[in-house]
Amino acid sequence: MSEEKKMQPPDWTGVERVLVIMAHPDDPDFSCAGTAIQMTAQGIAVTYMILTNGDKGNHNPLITRNQLILMRKEEQRAAAALSGVKDVLFMDEEDGFLRPTPEIRKRVCREIRRIRPQLIICSSPERYFSGNGYINHPDHRNAGLVAMEAIFPAADNPMFYPDMANEGYLPHKISQLYVSGHDDADVEVDVTDSIETKIRSILSHKSQFPEPEQMEKWLKERWGEKQEDGTLRHFERFKGLRFDRPRGRPTEEEKKEDEK
Ligand SMILES: [Zn+2]
């Protein structure tokens, strides 16, 4: 089976709120801004959660650590606004040292119970490298672990963090999980129509991209996929997991296929 045939279009039926959990400022913009743009255009409320403070993302000795943290927050808010994302949460873990600790799991779980998203997008905890010239940042892997460990077995289990009920944050089960940067991606969002805005959102991270013009050209060329008719299209792909179906039961679509 070819990669193409396996890909499914996204199904956002019943999705009203989405939470994107990523390691650094700019990670949501690279991995899923096109998807976020489409979601917010449909009236879906998207929240970005940035786990680290991004304090290592600078080589300019004139900028202090605290200045950089504030700068990167502002950049992330501006990028999110371009994509129609109104809420950005900063969890302020130290950049470069993110670990799936019990403490951060509880903090993320509290936000899941507060926001009650139907769909969460996170990075892949399995990606150590891509191609043969790029080691994946350990924070990206650990952000995936933090997100997944908060979702399961914690967020929907009342035995985890019963004290949160006192704050009004009750157990919550999400319906879908999108894992970005996964080799076994099976959900494909065509983001061709929003690629310009996506790139503008990436370039909002001015501290990271001192030469925006070059970057814009490079991103478009790097991501564009040539179609049979010669046009370029852009995609964001995810490994999709669903938790809204009884385990082991066929879906309605699968049943219809069987009846044929
Ligand atoms: Zn990153």
Side-chain angles (χ1 to χ4, degrees), residues 24 26-27 140:
H24 309 119
D26 84 19
D27 289 348
H140 296 163

Side-chain angles (χ1 to χ4, degrees), residues 144-158:
L145 278 180
V146 167
M148 284 191 194
E149 291 182 2
I151 294 164
F152 183 84
D156 71 337
N157 185 334

Side-chain angles (χ1 to χ4, degrees), residues 22-28 30 52 72 95 134 136-137 139-140:
M22 296 274 161
H24 309 119
D26 84 19
D27 289 348
F30 271 105
T52 78
R72 298 203 69 186
D95 189 351
Y134 174 69
N136 190 21
H137 197 301
D139 287 352
H140 296 163

Side-chain angles (χ1 to χ4, degrees), residues 78-245:
L82 283 173
S83 304
V85 174
K86 295 192 183 85
D87 292 314
V88 186
L89 307 171
F90 297 98
M91 304 304 271
D92 288 318
E93 296 286 311
E94 187 179 356
D95 189 351
F97 293 91
L98 184 64
R99 284 283 177 266
T101 60
E103 291 75 23
I104 187 69
R105 190 207 291 205
K106 182 172 185 181
R107 292 175 65 214
V108 172
C109 182
R110 180 187 281 113
E111 295 304 324
I112 293 172
R113 289 182 179 182
R114 181 178 71 80
I115 298 166
R116 314 188 79 72
Q118 288 82 19
L119 192 156
I120 286 180
I121 302 178
C122 70
S123 47
S124 172
E126 296 177 76
R127 171 154 282 195
Y128 283 83
F129 51 83
S130 70
N132 49 12
Y134 174 69
I135 296 172
N136 190 21
H137 197 301
D139 287 352
H140 296 163
R141 280 189 284 113
N142 284 320
L145 278 180
V146 167
M148 284 191 194
E149 291 182 2
I151 294 164
F152 183 84
D156 71 337
N157 185 334
M159 304 304 277
F160 277 80
Y161 318 126
D163 53 308
M164 279 182 204
N166 303 330
E167 302 171 73
Y169 303 150
L170 300 172
H172 175 71
K173 188 179 169 87
I174 65 166
S175 309
Q176 297 189 58
L177 175 66
Y178 283 2
V179 182
S180 155
H182 199 283
D183 289 335
D184 194 25
D186 51 9
V187 174
E188 179 176 82
V189 184
D190 186 328
V191 299
T192 309
D193 292 345
S194 47
I195 192 66
E196 302 288 336
T197 312
K198 171 175 174 159
I199 289 174
R200 277 205 292 141
S201 83
I202 292 170
L203 298 178
S204 301
H205 299 274
K206 293 191 179 101
S207 64
Q208 306 302 298
F209 310 113
E211 291 168 342
E213 280 98 50
Q214 270 170 280
M215 186 77 185
E216 185 171 351
K217 191 167 170 282
W218 180 76
L219 286 176
K220 266 192 206 158
E221 282 168 13
R222 182 186 169 199
W223 287 334
E225 294 179 25
K226 203 163 199 172
Q227 306 300 295
E228 278 175 16
D229 63 3
T231 57
L232 279 188
R233 297 204 75 79
H234 290 80
F235 300 93
E236 286 172 353
R237 298 190 177 97
F238 308 95
K239 172 78 190 157
L241 284 84
R242 294 201 74 138
F243 314 107
D244 53 354
R245 295 170 183 153

Side-chain angles (χ1 to χ4, degrees), residues 4-53:
E4 262 67 37
K5 279 187 189 144
K6 196 178 70 165
M7 289 293 170
Q8 298 288 320
D11 174 10
W12 299 334
T13 313
V15 174
E16 295 172 7
R17 291 175 300 280
V18 171
L19 177 61
V20 177
I21 303 174
M22 296 274 161
H24 309 119
D26 84 19
D27 289 348
D29 306 292
F30 271 105
S31 54
C32 63
T35 299
I37 291 163
Q38 284 188 22
M39 287 172 161
T40 57
Q42 291 181 23
I44 296 171
V46 178
T47 301
Y48 288 168
M49 176 193 281
I50 310 296
L51 293 169
T52 78
N53 59 19

